[in-house]
Amino acid sequence: MSSSKIITGLLIGAAAGAVLGILFAPDKGADTRKKISKKSADLTDTLKSKFNDLIDSISEEIENAKNAADDALAEGNEKAATVQSSIKHSLS
């Protein structure tokens, strides 16, 4: 299981626990709704941040793979040119 899935699961579990704790606390309804709203906003911000981190990580991996492919292609072209040059010289 990836670490992002574990972190997401922990965040959702913590949020659910916080909401349940607020719901069972002996506060007025208006205070409870404010607390739930604040916790929901905090959770949304945290999830957005984790999602953006995940997207950045994926983008970085894609860029690294692209660079590796470009390097491999350049190396292959150099080797092909060397072989082609060797063949031309041996035929001359």
Side-chain angles (χ1 to χ4, degrees):
M1 186 179 290
S2 71
S3 61
S4 63
K5 288 183 181 180
I6 293 171
I7 291 170
T8 302
L10 288 173
L11 289 172
I12 290 172
V19 169
L20 287 173
I22 292 169
L23 287 174
F24 288 108
D27 285 336
K28 293 180 183 177
D31 291 340
T32 301
R33 286 190 296 276
K34 286 179 186 176
K35 287 181 182 179
I36 291 172
S37 176
K38 169 101 172 84
K39 292 288 183 185
S40 296
D42 291 345
L43 177 62
T44 300
D45 291 342
T46 301
L47 288 176
K48 283 181 184 177
S49 175
K50 293 295 180 187
F51 181 74
N52 288 335
D53 291 346
L54 178 63
I55 295 299
D56 290 343
S57 175
I58 290 170
S59 296
E60 184 177 328
E61 290 296 323
I62 289 171
E63 187 64 30
N64 290 341
K66 182 182 175 225
N67 289 339
D70 288 344
D71 291 346
L73 180 62
E75 184 178 335
N77 286 338
E78 287 176 16
K79 287 183 179 181
T82 302
V83 169
Q84 188 178 25
S85 177
S86 294
I87 291 172
K88 283 183 182 179
H89 286 296
S90 65
L91 294 175
S92 304

